[in-house]
Amino acid sequence: MKYRLDPQPLEWIDRSESMSFDFEGQRFSGFKGDSLTSALLAGGQKLLGRSFKYHRPRSALSLANHDVNALFQSAEATNIRGDVTPVSEGLKLRACNVNGTLANDKDTYIGLLSRFLPVGFYYKAFHKPKKFFPFWERLIREKAGLGEISTQWSAIRQPKQYGFCDLLVIGAGASGMQAALTAADAGADVVLVDENPQIGGSLDYQLVNESDAASARRQLKQRIAEHPGIRVFTGHYACGWYTDHYVPLVGPEGIIKMRAGGVIMATGVMEQPAVFRNNDLPGVMLASGAQRLIARYAVKPGQRAVVLCGNDEGYRAALDMIEAGIEVAAVVDLEWLDKRGHWAEQVKAKGIPVLEQSAIYEAKGKDALKAVVVAPFDGRSCDSGQGKTIRCDLLLMSVGWAPAAQLLYQSGSKLGYDKKLQQILPRELSPGIHACGRLNGAFTLEQRLADGERAAKEAVAQLRGKTVETELTRFRDDRAHSHDWPIIGHPKGKNFVDYDEDLQLKDLINAAKEGFDNIELMKRFSTNGMGPSQGKHANMNGIRVLAEITRKTIDETGSTTARPMFHPVPVSALAGRRFRPERLTPMQAWHTANGAKMMEAGRWLRPEFYGAPAQREQAILQEVQAVRSGLGIIDVSTLGKIEVMGPDAGRLLDVVYTMKMSTIKQGMTRYALMVDDSGVIVDDGIVGRVTDDRFYVSATTSHADAAFRTLSLKIQELGLNVRLVNRTGSLAALNLAGPASRKLLSTLTDVDLSEESFPYLGMREGTLCGYPVRLIRVGFVGELGYEIHMPATAALEIWETLIKAGKPYGIRPFGVEAQRVLRLEKGHIIVGQDTDGLTNPFEANMAWAVPLKSKPWFTGKPSLALLQARCQRRLIGFRLPKGYNGELPKECHLIIENGEMAGRITSIAYSPALGRVIGLAMVDLPLAESASALEVRVDSGAMVTLEPCPTPFYDADGARQTADLTEVA
Amino acid sequence: MKLLDCPVIGKRPISEFDYLGEVRVPPSQADELVWADYVFNRKGAPGVLRERWYHRPTGRWFVFDRDTLTDEIVAVVDAADVRYEEPRYEIPA
C-alpha cells in the first residue's frame, strides 16, 4: 500500500484489520473500512476502468459514487460501485468494460473513430440497407452494456421493515446534524439518515483541518449519539420521495419503508467537473474527491498537483494537499484572486503560484495525467496561443456545485437558479418539506448550522399545526461557490460533459443544432445524464451548455426530472415474498389428510379432487359417479354468506338482484343473478327468506367481498334501513348430494326432511349433531341435495360425522373438478368461466332471470331492456360423438366459421352419465341458432366438429332433484 | 395522497380503501342516449370530484369531495346529501 498516508485524524479505516482481494488477477490488500476504489489507489492501481464508448482509461473522480469510473464486476455480481463498496476478503474483481485486459484494451481504437460516431449515431445509422441490420445488431449488442450477468445467481431475500417518525432528516452533514438536534430537543421523534458509513458529511473531509469545525463536529456527534430522540441510520440512502413523506431507506440489510410527518432535506451538493480536453485522464479529480481520499482513507492521490479553482473551496483543497505532503505546483483560478477569502491568502502565503484569470486548456498524458496546459481565460474561452505547460500527476477541479436536489424535485418543490450563488436553489417548498445547508445555499459553517436550526424549528412548528412563515433565504451565502461557465472548448474535443456516456462538449452542441434544444430532448438524444450516475456529475454542465447555446437563462432552460429511485436500488431490496394471505376452511386438515389435491379459488384453498395426481381423471370420474349413484359431499365453505336484516331488506335485494326477492316465501330460496349498470353478469347465488324482514344470501367464492360491498353501497345510496352481516368466515358450508342424501341426513337432524314439508329450493333451520344449522335444498349438481350452513367451529365435527354415517351409502368427498362436471351435465353456468366481462343474461340463456315486465326497477334494468333485442352471441350446449378419441378441444379454443372467429368453448368435460364429451360454447348469432355443426380449432391446429345440442344434457326435467323419485332404499 | 384522513378513525393508508369513483346517480328520466351516457361516461377533467370510498377493514362507505389535481380531500360529505330514490322508468328499446 505504497500510497497510504500516516494515520489521519478522522480516517474510516481500521488499520488493525487488513483484507486482500484480486483485481484483474492481481493481488491487492486494504484495511477494513476501505472502499474498493481507495484500496486500489492505495496499492498504486490508478487505472480502474475503461469508459463506456471509447474505452478510455479512467480512474477515481468523485470518490462519492457520483461517477462510475470505478465500476466492477465479480463472478456473482455486476455494477459493483467501487467508490462506495467496502473491501471484503477474497473478492475477485474485474473491470467491466474491457476487451482484452484493462491495461491493454483492444477497443481503445474506437476513440480514434469518434469523429465517425457523432451524437445520436445509433438513431441514424444501421437502418439501411435493411439486410445488414442483423449484423449491426449483433455487433452493438456485444459492445453495449456494462458487465456480464452471471446466470449462476441465487435469490437473495432481504427483510423489509416499516418505520415511522415525526421528522426525517436526510443527510448528516453540518446542517443535517444540527437540524436533527434542534428538532429532537423540541420533542420531535427524529430519524437521521446518511448514505455514508459515518455521520459528519463534508465537515469530515472538506473542513477536516479547520479548528472551529473540529469543535462543532465533536459536539454535534456526541450530542446526537446521546440523544434519545434521534435514531441514526448510517449506510442507508433515501432512494426516493413518495407522497405523504414515504421515503424508502435502502441499507445493506434491506429496505426500511419510512413514513415521516415531515422531511428536512440536508442532502448537500455534488461537486461538478470542469469541461476541458482530456478532463477524464486518470489523475484529474474533483477536489472533494481528493479530500475524501485523504481524510477518509488516508490515501495520497498524487505527488505533484495543480488545483483549478472557480471558488474558495479549491484553495482549501490546495491547503489540504500540502498538509498531506503533496507538492502543489500551481493554483489556476478562473477569476481574479482578490475575489477569494482567507484560504486563498494562506495559499498565497505558502508561496504557491496562483495563475489568475486562467483555465486548464487541456490535460496531457496517455494513460495518466502528465501535465496540464494553462491558458488565459476571459470567462468564456481560453487564449490557447498563450498556453503554458505545467508538469503534474494530479489535477483537482474545484469549479462548482450542483444541489443534490433529486428528492426535493420529487417532492414537488420548486427550485430556481440563483445568480448570486450561481447555483440552483430551492424557491418554494412543498408542505412538510424543508431544506437547509449547502443545498439551500448556506456555505460557511456558521451559515450551515444556523440554517439547520432554522429548518428544524420551522419543521417542528409545522408538525404541531402552526402556520410558519419560512425564512428559507435568511442564512444563504452572498457570494458564488460555483463558476457559471467552467467549460473550455477545444478543436480536438475529448472534453467530456458526461463521463458515463463519453459525451463531449461538441456532442451537446451538435444535438442542439439538430433541433434537440430542449433539455429533455437533449438528454434523450445525446444520453447526457442517462448513464449509471444519472446526471450527478453531468446535468449541471449540460444545462449550462444548452443555456449558452440557446441564449436562455438557466431557469428558462430548466432541469430534467430525477424520478425515484434516484439512486440504483438492488432488486433484492425491493423483491420479496408477496403478502398473499390464504383462507382455509375448517375442513382443511381433513382434506389434506385424505389426499386432497388443493387448488386456489380466489383467496381460498379448495380441494380440486381427492387422490394421487397421476390418477386425476379417474378420481374425478369416481367422484362424479358417487354423487350420481349414491352420495357425495363437498366443502362449499368458501361461498359468500351474508345475512340481510331490516324493514328494507326485501327492497334492497330487489334493487341489487334481477329477480324479485321481496316475494320469496318464508323458508324458500330463489336463484339470484346480479348484473351491473351495463347489464353484464357479475355474480350469482341464492337468496333465502328466513323471516319476514330477514334474508340469507349466498354469493360465489371469488365475488363474495364484492357482493357484500355492492349490497352495503346500495344501502347508503338509497338510505335503506337494512343491516348486513358478512358471515362468510364465521359460517362453514357443505353440500351433501346424491340419491341417499335425505336418508342419511334424516338420521342426524331434527328437521323434517319429507318432500311435503321441505321441498326443492326450501330452506330450514334446525340442529345437526346438536349444532344450529341452516339446510337448503339446492340443485347445482343436479341430484337430491342439501346445502348445510353451520358454525365454522362445528363444521369439522359435522363433516366427519357425515362421512362416517355415510359409509354404508358409499359416501365420497368430491372436489371442485367433479362439481364442474356435475353442473355442466345440468347446463348450469359458472359466472366468470362461462361468462366474461361483457356477457349479459340473454347471451347466457337466462332471459328467465330478467323480469323486465314485472319488475319496475333493478340495477342494470334499462341496459338489459335495450340489450334484449340486440343479442349478438349465445351460450349453447354441444357434444362430441360417443366414443370420440381424437384430440380433445379445451376451454377457450376458438370456433371458426369461414376462416373467422365465431365463438369459443367456455366449458368442456367428459360426462360419465352421458358417456361422451359435452360442453358449453359462446357462439356468435345467428350461427348459434342455426348451425348443425361447429368447427373448433384445437392446439395442434386441426379442426374438430362439435354438435350443438340442447341443455341440460342430463335429467332435463329435473326429476332427480326431487327426493321421492331418486331415493334409494 | 397515500394516507387518507378517515373522518372516523384518522389517517389510514389508502391501500385499505376501495375507490369507487365519482358519486353517480341514475338519471331521473332517460332515453337511450342519456342512459348510455350514465352507464359508460365518467368525468375526467381535473378539479373537485365528489367520490365514494370504501374502507374495507371497517366496511364503511364515505363520500369525499376530492381535488383530483392536488389529490386533496376538500370536504367530507354526508351520505344523506347524495341519496336518491331508485327510478322507475322504461326505456323504449
Side-chain angles (χ1 to χ4, degrees), chain A residues 260-320:
Chain A
V263 179
I264 297 178
M265 308 274 189
T267 47
V269 288
M270 301 174 291
E271 185 149 52
Q272 299 298 298
V275 177
F276 53 87
R277 177 167 165 79
N278 293 334
N279 61 342
D280 64 331
L281 268 181
V284 180
M285 281 181 92
L286 297 172
S288 57
Q291 287 172 313
R292 286 186 181 97
L293 195 58
I294 295 167
R296 291 175 174 175
Y297 309 108
V299 173
K300 199 172 179 180
Q303 306 296 343
R304 185 176 152 91
V306 170
V307 183
L308 174 66
C309 288
N311 52 19
D312 273 11
E313 286 91 329
Y315 290 91
R316 178 64 261 175
L319 293 170
D320 290 345

Side-chain angles (χ1 to χ4, degrees), chain A residues 507-521:
Chain A
D507 292 330
L508 299 192
I509 294 170
N510 289 338
K513 272 190 195 155
E514 293 203 36
F516 300 95
D517 55 357
N518 164 292
I519 189 73
E520 296 285 356
L521 292 176

Side-chain angles (χ1 to χ4, degrees), chain A residues 904-926:
Chain A
R904 69 173 208 282
I905 291 175
T906 63
S907 289
I908 187 165
Y910 174 75
S911 161
L914 279 81
R916 64 206 299 177
V917 172
I918 57 170
L920 296 173
M922 187 62 85
V923 182
D924 290 352
L925 290 178

